[in-house]
Amino acid sequence: MASYRAIKPVIGIHLLDFTLFDQPKYANKALWNFALRDGECCEVCLGRELQIHIVELRKADKVQQLPERL
């Protein structure tokens, strides 16, 4: 039986064809990387184990933040 420590990270990459964060202070930010925290114990965080990346494609194209390999 495999150990949970041997499990590889889960990485979600979400390519959005719309602007999710349209507040003016985020106008030049199109690449997002989120960490998940427990609702009651905020110090408990899933970092490397579960990654969520969001690319706002329209905004990324406008501010030229599209990764080269994308």
Side-chain angles (χ1 to χ4, degrees):
M1 186 168 171
S3 167
Y4 280 111
R5 295 183 193 278
I7 294 176
K8 301 293 183 196
V10 175
I11 301 171
I13 301 172
H14 305 270
L15 305 174
L16 307 182
D17 191 28
F18 60 91
T19 299
L20 183 61
F21 302 106
D22 59 358
Q23 297 89 339
K25 65 181 176 180
Y26 303 130
N28 294 320
K29 181 165 175 56
L31 307 176
W32 301 88
N33 180 6
F34 290 93
L36 296 173
R37 297 186 184 280
D38 181 75
E40 294 179 11
C41 302
C42 295
E43 69 277 4
V44 177
C45 178
L46 291 174
R48 180 173 145 15
E49 300 85 6
L50 180 60
Q51 301 174 34
I52 298 177
H53 299 267
I54 294 176
V55 180
E56 295 176 281
L57 292 173
R58 292 181 186 178
K59 195 189 308 180
D61 190 40
K62 185 174 80 177
V63 297
Q64 299 190 356
Q65 283 186 342
L66 284 174
E68 184 177 317
R69 300 191 107 203
L70 187 63

